[in-house]
Amino acid sequence: MSDKSVARAIDALRRGWPIAIEAMTVLAVENATDASLADFDATGGAPVLISAGRAATLKLVNQLAAADPEQPVLVDRAPWLDLSGAVALADPSRDLATPLKGPFRTLRPPPGAAAAIRLARLAGLLPAFFIGGAGAEASVTLADLDGHNGAHRLVLATRARLPVAGAEDAEVVAFRTPDSTDEHVALLIGQPNGRPPLVRLHSECLTGDVFGSLKCDCGPQLSHAIAAIAASGWGILLYLRQEGRGIGLVNKLRAYRLQDQGFDTVDANTRLGFAVDARDFGVAARMLHLLGQDAVRVLTNNPAKVTALEAAGVTVVERVPHHLPANPHNARYLATKRDRTGHQL
Protein backbone atom coordinates (compact mmCIF):
# COMPACT_ATOMS: atom_id res chain seq x y z
CA MET A 1 0.00 0.00 0.00
CA SER A 2 3.04 2.32 0.09
CA ASP A 3 2.46 3.90 -3.32
CA LYS A 4 -1.18 4.64 -2.52
CA SER A 5 -0.26 6.23 0.81
CA VAL A 6 2.44 8.38 -0.76
CA ALA A 7 0.13 9.49 -3.58
CA ARG A 8 -2.59 10.48 -1.10
CA ALA A 9 -0.10 12.35 1.07
CA ILE A 10 1.29 14.27 -1.92
CA ASP A 11 -2.22 15.19 -3.06
CA ALA A 12 -3.12 16.44 0.43
CA LEU A 13 0.04 18.53 0.73
CA ARG A 14 -0.53 20.17 -2.65
CA ARG A 15 -4.11 21.01 -1.61
CA GLY A 16 -2.86 22.67 1.56
CA TRP A 17 -4.13 19.97 3.91
CA PRO A 18 -2.24 18.58 6.90
CA ILE A 19 -0.89 15.04 6.81
CA ALA A 20 0.47 12.63 9.39
CA ILE A 21 3.97 11.31 8.81
CA GLU A 22 5.40 8.85 11.32
CA ALA A 23 4.49 10.25 14.74
CA MET A 24 3.87 13.87 13.74
CA THR A 25 1.35 15.94 11.82
CA VAL A 26 2.61 18.54 9.35
CA LEU A 27 1.24 21.39 7.25
CA ALA A 28 3.23 22.60 4.25
CA VAL A 29 4.21 26.24 4.76
CA GLU A 30 3.94 27.01 1.05
CA ASN A 31 0.24 26.10 0.74
CA ALA A 32 -0.93 27.19 4.18
CA THR A 33 -3.36 30.06 4.66
CA ASP A 34 -4.07 32.06 7.82
CA ALA A 35 -7.29 30.07 8.23
CA SER A 36 -5.76 26.65 7.65
CA LEU A 37 -2.85 27.47 9.97
CA ALA A 38 -5.29 28.54 12.70
CA ASP A 39 -7.21 25.27 12.30
CA PHE A 40 -3.98 23.28 12.35
CA ASP A 41 -2.32 25.18 15.21
CA ALA A 42 -4.83 26.89 17.49
CA THR A 43 -2.21 27.91 20.07
CA GLY A 44 0.24 29.47 17.59
CA GLY A 45 3.14 27.42 18.89
CA ALA A 46 3.85 24.96 16.07
CA PRO A 47 7.57 25.04 15.22
CA VAL A 48 8.78 25.19 11.61
CA LEU A 49 10.71 22.38 9.98
CA ILE A 50 13.20 23.35 7.26
CA SER A 51 16.03 21.59 5.43
CA ALA A 52 19.67 21.76 6.45
CA GLY A 53 20.46 23.41 3.14
CA ARG A 54 18.13 26.29 4.01
CA ALA A 55 19.29 26.34 7.63
CA ALA A 56 22.89 26.80 6.52
CA THR A 57 21.89 30.02 4.74
CA LEU A 58 20.36 31.21 8.01
CA LYS A 59 23.50 30.22 9.95
CA LEU A 60 21.53 27.72 12.02
CA VAL A 61 23.86 24.80 11.27
CA ASN A 62 27.50 24.54 10.36
CA GLN A 63 28.53 23.69 6.83
CA LEU A 64 29.48 20.11 7.71
CA ALA A 65 26.04 19.45 9.16
CA ALA A 66 24.47 20.92 6.03
CA ALA A 67 26.30 18.60 3.65
CA ASP A 68 23.00 16.79 3.00
CA PRO A 69 20.40 19.48 2.21
CA GLU A 70 17.55 17.04 2.76
CA GLN A 71 18.33 16.63 6.46
CA PRO A 72 15.87 18.41 8.76
CA VAL A 73 16.30 21.37 11.11
CA LEU A 74 13.50 22.40 13.49
CA VAL A 75 13.07 26.11 14.27
CA ASP A 76 11.30 27.14 17.46
CA ARG A 77 8.13 29.18 16.89
CA ALA A 78 8.90 32.69 18.11
CA PRO A 79 5.87 34.92 18.84
CA TRP A 80 6.56 37.02 15.72
CA LEU A 81 6.90 34.01 13.40
CA ASP A 82 3.49 34.17 11.71
CA LEU A 83 2.60 32.68 8.33
CA SER A 84 4.27 35.41 6.27
CA GLY A 85 7.37 35.10 8.43
CA ALA A 86 7.40 31.33 7.94
CA VAL A 87 7.14 31.74 4.17
CA ALA A 88 10.11 34.11 4.24
CA LEU A 89 11.95 31.62 6.45
CA ALA A 90 11.25 28.83 3.94
CA ASP A 91 12.00 30.53 0.62
CA PRO A 92 15.55 31.80 0.02
CA SER A 93 14.54 33.44 -3.25
CA ARG A 94 12.72 36.06 -1.11
CA ASP A 95 15.70 36.92 1.07
CA LEU A 96 16.57 40.20 -0.63
CA ALA A 97 12.96 41.39 -0.68
CA THR A 98 12.07 40.15 2.82
CA PRO A 99 14.84 40.63 5.37
CA LEU A 100 14.44 37.92 7.96
CA LYS A 101 13.79 38.57 11.64
CA GLY A 102 15.65 36.73 14.32
CA PRO A 103 17.35 35.29 16.19
CA PHE A 104 16.18 31.73 15.64
CA ARG A 105 16.43 28.88 18.12
CA THR A 106 16.65 25.30 16.89
CA LEU A 107 15.08 22.26 18.51
CA ARG A 108 15.65 18.54 18.12
CA PRO A 109 13.66 17.37 15.08
CA PRO A 110 11.20 14.53 15.77
CA PRO A 111 11.18 11.12 14.08
CA GLY A 112 9.81 11.43 10.57
CA ALA A 113 11.26 14.88 9.96
CA ALA A 114 13.64 13.68 7.25
CA ALA A 115 10.77 11.84 5.57
CA ALA A 116 8.79 15.09 5.46
CA ILE A 117 11.65 16.84 3.65
CA ARG A 118 11.76 14.01 1.10
CA LEU A 119 8.01 14.16 0.62
CA ALA A 120 8.14 17.89 -0.11
CA ARG A 121 10.39 17.27 -3.11
CA LEU A 122 8.06 14.58 -4.44
CA ALA A 123 5.18 17.06 -4.13
CA GLY A 124 7.15 19.84 -5.84
CA LEU A 125 6.88 22.06 -2.74
CA LEU A 126 9.38 23.99 -0.66
CA PRO A 127 10.79 21.71 2.07
CA ALA A 128 9.23 23.61 4.98
CA PHE A 129 6.43 22.57 7.36
CA PHE A 130 4.61 23.64 10.48
CA ILE A 131 4.59 20.56 12.70
CA GLY A 132 2.65 19.28 15.68
CA GLY A 133 -0.86 20.43 14.84
CA ALA A 134 -4.09 18.56 14.14
CA GLY A 135 -6.45 17.52 11.37
CA ALA A 136 -4.42 15.14 9.21
CA GLU A 137 -6.18 14.26 5.94
CA ALA A 138 -3.74 11.49 4.97
CA SER A 139 -0.94 9.51 6.54
CA VAL A 140 2.36 8.11 5.34
CA THR A 141 5.29 6.31 6.95
CA LEU A 142 9.00 6.19 6.34
CA ALA A 143 8.55 2.63 5.13
CA ASP A 144 6.01 3.88 2.56
CA LEU A 145 8.53 6.38 1.23
CA ASP A 146 11.35 3.84 1.17
CA GLY A 147 9.13 1.51 -0.84
CA HIS A 148 7.92 4.22 -3.21
CA ASN A 149 9.50 3.67 -6.62
CA GLY A 150 7.63 4.98 -9.59
CA ALA A 151 9.94 3.25 -12.06
CA HIS A 152 8.80 -0.31 -11.38
CA ARG A 153 5.13 0.66 -11.80
CA LEU A 154 5.66 2.36 -15.14
CA VAL A 155 3.65 0.83 -17.98
CA LEU A 156 3.45 1.45 -21.71
CA ALA A 157 0.15 3.23 -22.30
CA THR A 158 -0.07 3.83 -26.05
CA ARG A 159 1.93 4.61 -29.19
CA ALA A 160 1.39 6.36 -32.52
CA ARG A 161 3.27 7.53 -35.61
CA LEU A 162 4.60 11.08 -35.14
CA PRO A 163 6.69 12.72 -37.86
CA VAL A 164 8.68 15.56 -36.30
CA ALA A 165 10.97 18.27 -37.64
CA GLY A 166 14.26 16.60 -38.41
CA ALA A 167 12.88 13.06 -38.14
CA GLU A 168 9.81 12.27 -40.22
CA ASP A 169 10.16 8.52 -39.63
CA ALA A 170 9.30 8.61 -35.92
CA GLU A 171 6.91 7.01 -33.47
CA VAL A 172 5.87 8.39 -30.07
CA VAL A 173 5.30 6.04 -27.14
CA ALA A 174 3.68 7.19 -23.87
CA PHE A 175 4.30 5.68 -20.44
CA ARG A 176 2.59 6.33 -17.12
CA THR A 177 2.16 5.06 -13.59
CA PRO A 178 -0.97 4.81 -11.42
CA ASP A 179 0.62 7.21 -8.90
CA SER A 180 1.29 10.30 -11.00
CA THR A 181 -0.20 12.40 -13.77
CA ASP A 182 3.29 12.94 -15.21
CA GLU A 183 3.54 10.86 -18.38
CA HIS A 184 6.99 10.08 -19.75
CA VAL A 185 7.43 9.83 -23.51
CA ALA A 186 9.79 8.03 -25.88
CA LEU A 187 10.35 9.16 -29.45
CA LEU A 188 11.52 6.24 -31.59
CA ILE A 189 13.38 7.55 -34.62
CA GLY A 190 14.19 5.42 -37.65
CA GLN A 191 14.03 1.64 -37.74
CA PRO A 192 16.01 -1.02 -35.82
CA ASN A 193 19.12 -1.91 -37.83
CA GLY A 194 20.78 -4.57 -35.70
CA ARG A 195 22.90 -2.07 -33.76
CA PRO A 196 22.21 -0.78 -30.23
CA PRO A 197 20.07 2.33 -30.59
CA LEU A 198 21.49 5.79 -29.98
CA VAL A 199 19.57 6.97 -26.90
CA ARG A 200 19.20 10.41 -25.42
CA LEU A 201 17.80 10.93 -21.89
CA HIS A 202 16.26 14.39 -22.02
CA SER A 203 14.69 15.81 -18.87
CA GLU A 204 11.71 18.09 -19.42
CA CYS A 205 12.55 21.81 -19.49
CA LEU A 206 9.54 23.98 -20.20
CA THR A 207 11.57 27.18 -20.29
CA GLY A 208 14.18 25.79 -22.66
CA ASP A 209 12.21 23.33 -24.78
CA VAL A 210 9.12 25.50 -25.33
CA PHE A 211 10.13 29.13 -24.74
CA GLY A 212 13.68 28.89 -26.04
CA SER A 213 15.33 30.04 -22.82
CA LEU A 214 18.97 31.03 -23.22
CA LYS A 215 19.73 30.40 -19.53
CA CYS A 216 20.30 26.69 -20.24
CA ASP A 217 21.16 24.52 -23.24
CA CYS A 218 18.09 22.27 -23.06
CA GLY A 219 16.29 23.48 -26.19
CA PRO A 220 19.34 23.17 -28.47
CA GLN A 221 20.18 19.82 -26.85
CA LEU A 222 16.71 18.51 -27.70
CA SER A 223 16.91 19.59 -31.35
CA HIS A 224 20.48 18.35 -31.74
CA ALA A 225 19.60 14.99 -30.17
CA ILE A 226 16.74 14.41 -32.63
CA ALA A 227 19.05 15.29 -35.53
CA ALA A 228 21.87 13.08 -34.23
CA ILE A 229 19.56 10.10 -33.71
CA ALA A 230 18.07 10.53 -37.18
CA ALA A 231 21.56 10.70 -38.70
CA SER A 232 22.52 7.48 -36.91
CA GLY A 233 19.61 5.68 -38.58
CA TRP A 234 18.01 4.33 -35.42
CA GLY A 235 17.55 5.50 -31.88
CA ILE A 236 15.30 6.68 -29.07
CA LEU A 237 14.79 10.00 -27.33
CA LEU A 238 13.43 9.54 -23.81
CA TYR A 239 11.57 12.65 -22.67
CA LEU A 240 11.51 12.43 -18.88
CA ARG A 241 9.02 14.48 -16.88
CA GLN A 242 11.60 15.52 -14.28
CA GLU A 243 11.62 19.30 -14.56
CA GLY A 244 14.40 21.25 -12.86
CA ARG A 245 16.59 18.19 -12.21
CA GLY A 246 13.69 16.64 -10.34
CA ILE A 247 12.57 19.55 -8.14
CA GLY A 248 9.65 20.68 -10.31
CA LEU A 249 8.88 23.75 -12.36
CA VAL A 250 7.97 26.15 -9.55
CA ASN A 251 11.07 25.32 -7.53
CA LYS A 252 13.19 25.59 -10.68
CA LEU A 253 11.91 29.13 -11.18
CA ARG A 254 12.80 29.89 -7.57
CA ALA A 255 16.28 28.62 -8.37
CA TYR A 256 16.33 31.02 -11.34
CA ARG A 257 15.65 33.91 -8.94
CA LEU A 258 18.60 32.80 -6.83
CA GLN A 259 20.77 32.61 -9.95
CA ASP A 260 19.81 36.21 -10.69
CA GLN A 261 21.16 37.03 -7.22
CA GLY A 262 24.52 35.52 -8.12
CA PHE A 263 24.29 31.84 -7.13
CA ASP A 264 25.12 29.07 -9.57
CA THR A 265 22.74 26.19 -10.28
CA VAL A 266 24.27 23.92 -7.65
CA ASP A 267 24.11 26.45 -4.83
CA ALA A 268 20.63 27.58 -5.86
CA ASN A 269 19.27 24.04 -5.52
CA THR A 270 20.95 23.37 -2.18
CA ARG A 271 19.90 26.74 -0.74
CA LEU A 272 16.31 25.80 -1.59
CA GLY A 273 16.86 22.60 0.39
CA PHE A 274 17.15 20.11 -2.46
CA ALA A 275 19.82 17.76 -3.73
CA VAL A 276 22.03 18.98 -6.56
CA ASP A 277 20.31 16.46 -8.85
CA ALA A 278 17.13 14.71 -7.69
CA ARG A 279 16.27 12.95 -10.95
CA ASP A 280 15.49 9.23 -11.10
CA PHE A 281 17.10 7.74 -14.19
CA GLY A 282 15.70 4.35 -13.22
CA VAL A 283 12.57 5.57 -15.02
CA ALA A 284 14.57 5.78 -18.24
CA ALA A 285 15.89 2.25 -17.75
CA ARG A 286 12.36 0.96 -17.21
CA MET A 287 11.21 2.64 -20.42
CA LEU A 288 14.04 1.01 -22.35
CA HIS A 289 13.23 -2.41 -20.88
CA LEU A 290 9.58 -2.01 -21.88
CA LEU A 291 10.74 -1.13 -25.39
CA GLY A 292 12.89 -4.27 -25.49
CA GLN A 293 16.19 -2.38 -25.53
CA ASP A 294 18.74 -3.70 -23.03
CA ALA A 295 21.91 -2.49 -24.79
CA VAL A 296 22.26 1.11 -25.94
CA ARG A 297 24.60 3.87 -27.03
CA VAL A 298 23.95 6.96 -24.90
CA LEU A 299 24.17 10.51 -26.20
CA THR A 300 25.30 12.41 -23.10
CA ASN A 301 28.04 14.34 -21.36
CA ASN A 302 26.76 13.20 -17.95
CA PRO A 303 28.47 10.04 -16.60
CA ALA A 304 25.75 9.75 -13.93
CA LYS A 305 23.25 8.78 -16.62
CA VAL A 306 25.50 5.95 -17.79
CA THR A 307 26.00 4.73 -14.23
CA ALA A 308 22.27 4.82 -13.47
CA LEU A 309 21.30 2.91 -16.61
CA GLU A 310 23.90 0.22 -15.98
CA ALA A 311 22.82 -0.10 -12.34
CA ALA A 312 19.27 -0.74 -13.61
CA GLY A 313 20.37 -3.49 -15.98
CA VAL A 314 20.82 -1.58 -19.25
CA THR A 315 24.17 -2.17 -20.94
CA VAL A 316 25.77 1.03 -22.23
CA VAL A 317 28.08 -0.03 -25.05
CA GLU A 318 29.19 3.54 -25.84
CA ARG A 319 28.87 7.06 -24.46
CA VAL A 320 28.55 9.52 -27.35
CA PRO A 321 29.48 13.15 -26.48
CA HIS A 322 26.81 15.80 -26.92
CA HIS A 323 28.64 19.10 -27.39
CA LEU A 324 26.93 22.41 -28.14
CA PRO A 325 28.33 25.95 -28.11
CA ALA A 326 27.66 28.27 -25.18
CA ASN A 327 25.93 31.63 -25.39
CA PRO A 328 26.47 34.69 -23.15
CA HIS A 329 23.49 33.72 -20.98
CA ASN A 330 24.39 30.07 -20.28
CA ALA A 331 28.20 30.10 -20.22
CA ARG A 332 28.30 30.04 -16.42
CA TYR A 333 25.62 27.33 -16.29
CA LEU A 334 27.68 25.11 -18.61
CA ALA A 335 30.85 25.79 -16.64
CA THR A 336 29.04 24.79 -13.44
CA LYS A 337 27.93 21.52 -15.01
CA ARG A 338 31.53 20.83 -15.99
CA ASP A 339 33.23 21.95 -12.79
CA ARG A 340 30.73 20.97 -10.09
CA THR A 341 28.59 18.13 -11.40
CA GLY A 342 31.10 16.13 -13.44
CA HIS A 343 29.75 16.73 -16.92
CA GLN A 344 32.37 16.02 -19.52
CA LEU A 345 31.98 19.08 -21.70
Side-chain angles (χ1 to χ4, degrees), residues 9 13-14 51 86-87 105 130 152 171 189 193 208-209 224 239 255 271 276 308 314 331 339:
L13 287 177
R14 291 177 65 89
S51 72
V87 171
R105 185 168 74 95
F130 295 103
H152 80 278
E171 180 186 22
I189 297 171
N193 56 15
D209 299 341
H224 181 266
Y239 197 84
R271 288 174 78 89
V276 174
V314 176
D339 299 337

Short mmCIF file of all heavy atoms in Angstrom, two decimals, residues 9 13-14 51 86-87 105 130 152 171 189 193 208-209 224 239 255 271 276 308 314 331 339:
data_model
loop_
_atom_site.label_atom_id
_atom_site.label_comp_id
_atom_site.label_asym_id
_atom_site.label_seq_id
_atom_site.Cartn_x
_atom_site.Cartn_y
_atom_site.Cartn_z
N ALA A 9 -0.79 11.33 0.28
CA ALA A 9 -0.10 12.35 1.07
C ALA A 9 0.34 13.51 0.19
O ALA A 9 0.20 14.69 0.56
CB ALA A 9 1.10 11.74 1.79
N LEU A 13 -0.90 17.43 0.56
CA LEU A 13 0.04 18.53 0.73
C LEU A 13 -0.17 19.61 -0.32
O LEU A 13 -0.15 20.81 -0.02
CB LEU A 13 1.48 18.02 0.68
CG LEU A 13 1.99 17.22 1.86
CD1 LEU A 13 3.40 16.73 1.61
CD2 LEU A 13 1.94 18.05 3.15
N ARG A 14 -0.36 19.20 -1.56
CA ARG A 14 -0.53 20.17 -2.65
C ARG A 14 -1.86 20.93 -2.52
O ARG A 14 -1.98 22.05 -3.02
CB ARG A 14 -0.44 19.47 -4.00
CG ARG A 14 0.98 18.97 -4.31
CD ARG A 14 1.03 18.21 -5.61
NE ARG A 14 0.72 19.07 -6.74
CZ ARG A 14 1.62 19.79 -7.41
NH1 ARG A 14 2.89 19.75 -7.08
NH2 ARG A 14 1.25 20.54 -8.43
N SER A 51 14.92 22.47 5.79
CA SER A 51 16.03 21.59 5.43
C SER A 51 17.35 22.16 5.95
O SER A 51 17.47 23.36 6.24
CB SER A 51 16.11 21.44 3.91
OG SER A 51 16.58 22.65 3.35
N ALA A 86 7.01 32.71 8.24
CA ALA A 86 7.40 31.33 7.94
C ALA A 86 7.68 31.15 6.46
O ALA A 86 8.61 30.43 6.08
CB ALA A 86 6.32 30.36 8.41
N VAL A 87 6.89 31.82 5.62
CA VAL A 87 7.14 31.74 4.17
C VAL A 87 8.49 32.35 3.84
O VAL A 87 9.28 31.81 3.05
CB VAL A 87 6.01 32.44 3.39
CG1 VAL A 87 6.36 32.57 1.92
CG2 VAL A 87 4.69 31.68 3.55
N ARG A 105 15.95 29.92 17.21
CA ARG A 105 16.43 28.88 18.12
C ARG A 105 16.02 27.54 17.56
O ARG A 105 14.85 27.35 17.17
CB ARG A 105 15.84 29.06 19.52
CG ARG A 105 16.38 28.08 20.56
CD ARG A 105 15.97 28.52 21.95
NE ARG A 105 14.56 28.28 22.19
CZ ARG A 105 14.08 27.17 22.79
NH1 ARG A 105 14.91 26.22 23.20
NH2 ARG A 105 12.78 27.04 22.98
N PHE A 130 5.01 23.53 9.08
CA PHE A 130 4.61 23.64 10.48
C PHE A 130 4.38 22.21 10.98
O PHE A 130 3.81 21.38 10.26
CB PHE A 130 3.30 24.43 10.61
CG PHE A 130 3.41 25.87 10.19
CD1 PHE A 130 2.91 26.28 8.96
CD2 PHE A 130 4.00 26.81 11.02
CE1 PHE A 130 3.00 27.61 8.56
CE2 PHE A 130 4.09 28.14 10.63
CZ PHE A 130 3.59 28.54 9.40
N HIS A 152 9.23 1.08 -11.19
CA HIS A 152 8.80 -0.31 -11.38
C HIS A 152 7.32 -0.41 -11.72
O HIS A 152 6.86 -1.43 -12.23
CB HIS A 152 9.13 -1.14 -10.13
CG HIS A 152 8.15 -0.98 -8.99
ND1 HIS A 152 8.21 0.07 -8.11
CD2 HIS A 152 7.09 -1.74 -8.61
CE1 HIS A 152 7.23 -0.05 -7.22
NE2 HIS A 152 6.53 -1.12 -7.52
N GLU A 171 8.07 7.52 -34.19
CA GLU A 171 6.91 7.01 -33.47
C GLU A 171 7.01 7.49 -32.03
O GLU A 171 8.08 7.45 -31.42
CB GLU A 171 6.88 5.48 -33.51
CG GLU A 171 5.69 4.87 -32.78
CD GLU A 171 5.77 3.34 -32.71
OE1 GLU A 171 6.88 2.80 -32.84
OE2 GLU A 171 4.72 2.70 -32.51
N ILE A 189 13.02 6.93 -33.35
CA ILE A 189 13.38 7.55 -34.62
C ILE A 189 14.08 6.53 -35.51
O ILE A 189 15.04 5.89 -35.08
CB ILE A 189 14.29 8.77 -34.39
CG1 ILE A 189 13.53 9.84 -33.58
CG2 ILE A 189 14.79 9.35 -35.70
CD1 ILE A 189 14.41 10.99 -33.11
N ASN A 193 18.19 -1.50 -36.77
CA ASN A 193 19.12 -1.91 -37.83
C ASN A 193 20.16 -2.93 -37.35
O ASN A 193 21.19 -3.11 -37.99
CB ASN A 193 19.83 -0.68 -38.40
CG ASN A 193 20.54 0.14 -37.33
OD1 ASN A 193 20.75 -0.34 -36.21
ND2 ASN A 193 20.89 1.37 -37.67
N GLY A 208 13.25 25.97 -21.56
CA GLY A 208 14.18 25.79 -22.66
C GLY A 208 13.55 25.15 -23.88
O GLY A 208 13.75 25.60 -25.01
N ASP A 209 12.77 24.09 -23.66
CA ASP A 209 12.21 23.33 -24.78
C ASP A 209 11.10 24.09 -25.50
O ASP A 209 10.95 23.98 -26.72
CB ASP A 209 11.64 21.99 -24.28
CG ASP A 209 12.69 21.10 -23.64
OD1 ASP A 209 13.88 21.34 -23.89
OD2 ASP A 209 12.32 20.19 -22.89
N HIS A 224 19.26 19.03 -31.27
CA HIS A 224 20.48 18.35 -31.74
C HIS A 224 20.36 16.85 -31.54
O HIS A 224 20.83 16.06 -32.37
CB HIS A 224 21.69 18.90 -30.99
CG HIS A 224 22.99 18.28 -31.41
ND1 HIS A 224 23.53 17.19 -30.76
CD2 HIS A 224 23.84 18.58 -32.43
CE1 HIS A 224 24.67 16.86 -31.36
NE2 HIS A 224 24.88 17.68 -32.36
N TYR A 239 11.93 11.35 -23.23
CA TYR A 239 11.57 12.65 -22.67
C TYR A 239 11.01 12.42 -21.28
O TYR A 239 9.89 11.95 -21.11
CB TYR A 239 10.56 13.34 -23.57
CG TYR A 239 10.43 14.83 -23.30
CD1 TYR A 239 11.32 15.74 -23.87
CD2 TYR A 239 9.43 15.32 -22.47
CE1 TYR A 239 11.21 17.10 -23.63
CE2 TYR A 239 9.31 16.68 -22.22
CZ TYR A 239 10.21 17.56 -22.80
OH TYR A 239 10.11 18.92 -22.55
N ALA A 255 14.83 28.73 -8.18
CA ALA A 255 16.28 28.62 -8.37
C ALA A 255 16.77 29.67 -9.36
O ALA A 255 17.86 30.23 -9.21
CB ALA A 255 16.65 27.21 -8.83
N ARG A 271 20.46 25.70 -1.60
CA ARG A 271 19.90 26.74 -0.74
C ARG A 271 18.38 26.59 -0.61
O ARG A 271 17.79 26.93 0.42
CB ARG A 271 20.24 28.13 -1.27
CG ARG A 271 21.71 28.50 -1.09
CD ARG A 271 22.03 29.82 -1.76
NE ARG A 271 21.58 30.96 -0.98
CZ ARG A 271 22.29 31.56 -0.03
NH1 ARG A 271 23.50 31.12 0.28
NH2 ARG A 271 21.81 32.61 0.61
N VAL A 276 21.52 18.37 -5.33
CA VAL A 276 22.03 18.98 -6.56
C VAL A 276 21.30 18.42 -7.77
O VAL A 276 20.96 19.14 -8.70
CB VAL A 276 23.55 18.74 -6.67
CG1 VAL A 276 24.08 19.24 -8.01
CG2 VAL A 276 24.28 19.43 -5.52
N ALA A 308 23.63 5.17 -13.89
CA ALA A 308 22.27 4.82 -13.47
C ALA A 308 21.66 3.77 -14.39
O ALA A 308 20.99 2.84 -13.93
CB ALA A 308 21.40 6.07 -13.44
N VAL A 314 20.68 -1.94 -17.84
CA VAL A 314 20.82 -1.58 -19.25
C VAL A 314 22.31 -1.48 -19.57
O VAL A 314 23.04 -0.73 -18.92
CB VAL A 314 20.12 -0.25 -19.57
CG1 VAL A 314 20.36 0.15 -21.03
CG2 VAL A 314 18.63 -0.34 -19.28
N ALA A 331 26.80 30.50 -20.35
CA ALA A 331 28.20 30.10 -20.22
C ALA A 331 28.52 29.67 -18.79
O ALA A 331 29.21 28.66 -18.57
CB ALA A 331 29.11 31.24 -20.67
N ASP A 339 32.34 21.84 -13.93
CA ASP A 339 33.23 21.95 -12.79
C ASP A 339 32.66 21.38 -11.50
O ASP A 339 33.41 20.96 -10.62
CB ASP A 339 33.62 23.41 -12.55
CG ASP A 339 34.35 24.03 -13.72
OD1 ASP A 339 34.95 23.26 -14.51
OD2 ASP A 339 34.33 25.27 -13.86
#
